[in-house]
Amino acid sequence: MNRALIAGLIITLVMIAASFFGQYLAPHHVEDQVAVHYVVDANGQGTLVVPPISPNAEYPFGTDKAGTDLMAKLIAGSKYTIIVSLAVAFARIFIGGIVGLLLGYFGKEKKSRAKRLPLWNVLNGIPMFIIVWMVMIGISINPVVSPVYLSIILAVVMTIVGIPSVASTIKDKTMVIREKQFIISARSIGAGPLTIIRTHIFPHMKESFIILFVQEIILILGLLGQLAIFNVFVGGTTMYFDPIEYVSRTNEWTGLIGQARNFLLIYQWILVIPLVAYIVFIFGFHLISVGLESIYKEKYSKVSHI
């Protein structure tokens, strides 16, 4: 039994299901807010209730300082975090995979006396965070476009900067496989390059694509977290003045974490609960990656006992 894979699938599927259907089970709506009010108990003792409210039976995750249920915010914003990370990972693998397969099959290994680094290595050496932050910072603070449109722009930018890394990985693997005997045999009987790539090379690398897809999700979630530290949130950032405050327009997880950093010493649950959800989601995909690697390692390590 592959416990890592099963545990990872359970964690990710439960969190994805909760993000899309949790709103029907949540005790409060994201637009509801707790107003300042006075409560008198059975003994006649009065208590002034002022948000934020710490976790209790009515609000299991507590509320933020505006009185909004934190559970409702997590459910509402999770769709942006999950959809963007999955979509960007798929786009990177799809586009980068095609580019890498073509470059790996048709490319030639060149030995340069000057030992210059290949273009792919140069591009991979530039931190993705810096590129994405420089592109998005000017349009993410108090944007005029909708959160969905801005999320699409962020997804496109993150896809573009991630394609070179994926293409480079797939290219290197393809250049190794193209020298295998079964590829040479297919070429000798007249099979075309695209046919060989489609029917021989790609099926031989499908496990690598699956593992790379899961690993890209982890990298993208990490990149979203880095952007949130510098107040670039998925869907845009609303900036308030006097005092200066940055608030996520979509309540996505990294945005909730980024905007709650100042609450670590006073209202810890406002930061800790979104942070735990974010870490658990990443950990789930990490377990899936470990489980898949274990399966494929066992699959290809088997030997014939004829």
Side-chain angles (χ1 to χ4, degrees):
M1 180 183 295
N2 195 321
R3 296 181 179 178
L5 179 60
I6 294 175
L9 288 174
I10 291 175
I11 291 173
T12 54
L13 291 178
V14 167
M15 297 189 75
I16 291 173
S19 70
F20 288 95
F21 304 106
Q23 57 185 332
Y24 302 107
L25 301 176
H28 302 279
H29 193 270
V30 70
E31 295 181 357
D32 298 336
Q33 291 184 331
V34 179
V36 178
H37 61 283
Y38 195 75
V39 178
V40 179
D41 59 20
N43 298 323
Q45 298 294 327
T47 303
L48 182 64
V49 178
V50 180
I53 300 174
S54 60
N56 55 38
E58 184 178 1
Y59 296 93
F61 290 176
T63 73
D64 62 8
K65 68 176 187 177
T68 304
D69 183 15
L70 197 54
M71 178 185 291
K73 294 182 70 172
L74 281 171
I75 294 173
S78 61
K79 299 179 184 63
Y80 285 88
T81 306
I82 293 172
I83 292 176
V84 168
S85 59
L86 294 179
V88 173
F90 178 81
R92 285 183 179 183
I93 297 299
F94 182 78
I95 300 174
I98 292 176
V99 173
L101 286 170
L102 295 176
L103 289 177
Y105 185 83
F106 293 104
K108 297 180 179 179
E109 295 186 23
K110 296 181 180 179
K111 296 182 180 180
S112 174
R113 295 181 180 178
K115 296 182 179 180
R116 293 180 299 178
L117 290 175
L119 177 60
W120 294 114
N121 289 351
V122 175
L123 294 175
N124 291 336
I126 303 175
M128 293 184 186
F129 160 74
I130 294 178
I131 300 174
V132 178
W133 182 82
M134 291 180 64
V135 173
M136 297 302 302
I137 187 62
I139 61 177
S140 292
I141 307 297
N142 294 330
V144 296
V145 298
S146 67
V148 174
Y149 185 75
L150 197 59
S151 298
I152 294 174
I153 295 176
L154 175 61
V156 171
V157 174
M158 293 177 66
T159 298
I160 293 174
V161 300
I163 288 176
S165 176
V166 174
S168 177
T169 301
I170 299 300
K171 174 182 175 240
D172 293 339
K173 293 181 179 292
T174 304
M175 295 184 76
V176 173
I177 296 176
R178 74 178 183 180
E179 304 300 329
K180 299 292 185 180
Q181 187 61 45
F182 68 94
I183 300 296
I184 298 175
S185 300
R187 192 183 301 120
S188 65
I189 62 176
L194 296 182
T195 300
I196 293 175
I197 292 174
R198 186 179 68 254
T199 61
H200 295 287
I201 296 180
F202 176 73
H204 195 77
M205 295 177 57
K206 61 182 180 181
E207 291 86 1
S208 298
F209 274 95
I210 295 173
I211 294 175
L212 192 59
F213 172 70
V214 177
Q215 292 175 343
E216 283 296 313
I217 295 175
I218 298 173
L219 291 175
I220 292 162
L221 289 170
L223 178 56
L224 292 178
Q226 294 174 17
L227 292 171
I229 294 175
F230 293 90
N231 304 312
V232 175
F233 307 145
V234 179
T237 305
T238 300
M239 180 180 179
Y240 296 101
F241 299 91
D242 297 327
I244 295 179
E245 184 178 3
Y246 299 92
V247 177
S248 171
R249 296 201 302 168
T250 61
N251 294 319
E252 56 90 17
W253 290 346
T254 58
L256 292 178
I257 296 169
Q259 72 186 33
R261 286 172 294 164
N262 296 330
F263 297 130
L264 179 60
L265 300 179
I266 44 177
Y267 309 120
Q268 293 84 359
W269 67 89
I270 299 179
L271 170 63
V272 171
I273 291 178
L275 182 61
V276 169
Y278 171 71
I279 292 175
V280 170
F281 193 57
I282 293 178
F283 184 64
F285 280 107
H286 172 71
L287 290 177
I288 292 175
S289 176
V290 172
L292 290 173
E293 290 177 352
S294 176
I295 288 177
Y296 297 139
K297 183 178 180 180
E298 293 177 359
K299 176 180 177 181
Y300 293 112
S301 64
K302 292 180 181 179
V303 295
S304 176
H305 297 280
I306 299 178

